[in-house]
């Protein structure tokens, strides 16, 4: 997408982008905060998050000005959205906010890069170096050791990342991404309610846990996506991908400040390898594609 020119327009894009990244990182913090002390069970958190997100997005789509094309039903996208939210919630029973966000983000990007390779996209030497570095960093993070995240939680979060990567790929080129997201939330919410019924014997939620789930669904997911879509017209595709590198560090430092979570040496080294590797892939792809066009 073309980048906006001019001081006010550029400042608007910067502020919107920063707000969106804070919202995305806050999803990890809200979920971990809700589950850390047992304020809510993960199935209920997933259900409330998707239902409140669906309601918020439906209201926003209905209130926005101008005609909008109706979103075609995409049940695979809805299924991937549900899988992401559900596995994300169960993973945070045992993961810290920072390690969870890093595994999620790494799995998302590696899924999308792998899909590009399968579709015939060619990586140059720099991009391949970054890809290998990111994979190595992810394996190092989850490899056995005292500071390693719990294997079950890491595996669940990796599945959540793969699901979100597939969901993102399904959303490429849709005419109205906001309407499509609202439609997918509306279809995923009933499935999440069925999940809650399956775990009815473990269902519990106090006011604090329910409020955090609503905030994650309605604010940091629903409104967060609206803010992100508002920022995207001012960002090139390269910059839109690159700014998302900020989400795991924000979640890690937020976890340290708000949840008293430690930032281990393993997490710091793995973060450098994964995020640095992904940055190299993005730079390598951009150079191979040539300069970005601007408005």
């Amino acid at each position: 997408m073309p980048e906006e020119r001019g001081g006010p327009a550029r400042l608007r894009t910067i502020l919107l982008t920063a707000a969106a990244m804070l919202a995305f990182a806050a999803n990890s913090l809200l979920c971990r905060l809700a589950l850390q002390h047992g304020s809510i069970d993960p199935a209920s958190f997933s259900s409330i998050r998707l239902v409140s997100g669906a309601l918020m997005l439906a209201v926003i789509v209905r209130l926005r000005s101008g005609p909008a094309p109706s979103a075609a039903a995409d049940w695979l996208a809805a299924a991937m959205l549900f899988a992401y939210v559900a596995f994300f919630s169960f993973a945070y029973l045992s993961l810290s906010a920072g390690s969870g966000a890093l595994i999620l983000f790494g799995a998302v990007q590696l899924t999308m890069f792998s899909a590009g390779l399968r579709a015939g996209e060619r990586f140059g030497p720099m991009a391949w170096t970054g890809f290998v570095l990111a994979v190595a960093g992810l394996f190092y993070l989850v490899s056995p050791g005292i500071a390693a995240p719990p294997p079950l939680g890491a595996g669940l979060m990796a599945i959540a990342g793969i699901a979100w990567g597939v969901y993102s790929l399904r959303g490429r080129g849709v005419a109205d991404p906001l309407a499509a997201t609202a439609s997918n939330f509306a279809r995923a919410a009933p499935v999440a309610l069925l999940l809650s019924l399956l775990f009815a014997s473990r269902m519990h939620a106090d006011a604090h846990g329910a409020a955090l789930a609503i905030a994650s669904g309605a604010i940091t997911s629903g409104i967060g996506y609206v803010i992100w879509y508002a920022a995207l017209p001012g960002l090139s595709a390269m910059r839109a991908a690159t700014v998302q590198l900020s989400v795991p560090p924000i979640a890690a430092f937020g976890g340290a400040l708000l949840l008293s979570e430690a930032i281990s040496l393993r997490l710091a080294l793995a973060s450098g390898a994964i995020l640095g590797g992904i940055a190299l892939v993005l730079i390598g792809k951009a150079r191979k594609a040539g300069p970005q066009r601007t408005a």
Side-chain angles (χ1 to χ4, degrees), residues 85-171:
V85 171
F87 283 104
F88 176 95
S89 299
F90 279 89
Y92 268 127
L93 281 171
S94 57
L95 295 179
S96 67
S99 61
L102 185 61
I103 294 170
L104 174 73
F105 182 84
V108 169
Q109 293 297 323
L110 292 177
T111 298
M112 297 183 73
F113 294 157
S114 298
L117 289 171
R118 185 176 180 182
E121 186 175 343
R122 296 291 180 262
F123 282 13
M126 180 182 293
W128 271 114
T129 300
F131 186 81
V132 171
L133 182 61
V135 172
L138 193 57
F139 273 102
Y140 170 64
L141 176 65
V142 301
S143 62
I146 296 176
L152 177 60
L156 292 174
M157 190 60 82
I159 295 173
I162 293 170
W164 186 254
V166 175
Y167 177 78
S168 299
L169 291 168
R170 297 288 298 181

Side-chain angles (χ1 to χ4, degrees), residues 208-267:
H208 180 63
L212 291 172
I214 292 172
S216 178
I219 300 175
T220 57
S221 292
I223 295 178
Y225 295 146
V226 174
I227 294 172
W228 179 233
Y229 294 141
L232 281 176
L235 297 169
S236 67
M238 168 69 172
R239 291 195 176 183
T242 304
V243 295
Q244 295 179 63
L245 295 174
S246 65
V247 174
I250 293 172
F253 284 108
L257 291 173
L258 302 176
L259 306 176
S260 300
E261 295 178 347
I263 300 178
S264 66
L265 179 61
R266 180 192 287 249
L267 178 60

Side-chain angles (χ1 to χ4, degrees), residues 50-76:
L50 281 170
V51 170
S52 58
L55 292 173
M56 177 62 75
L57 287 166
V59 170
I60 292 172
V61 169
R62 187 171 184 83
L63 292 180
R64 68 179 178 177
S65 60
S70 58
D74 188 342
W75 286 102
L76 177 57

Side-chain angles (χ1 to χ4, degrees), residues 264-288:
S264 66
L265 179 61
R266 180 192 287 249
L267 178 60
L269 292 175
S271 297
I274 295 172
L275 302 182
I278 291 172
L280 287 177
V281 173
L282 294 172
I283 294 170
K285 288 172 64 178
R287 287 185 177 179
K288 189 175 181 64

Side-chain angles (χ1 to χ4, degrees), residues 32-46:
R32 180 59 180 157
L33 184 60
L35 298 175
Q36 187 178 37
H37 301 298
S39 298
I40 192 172
D41 66 283
S44 295
F45 187 94
S46 300

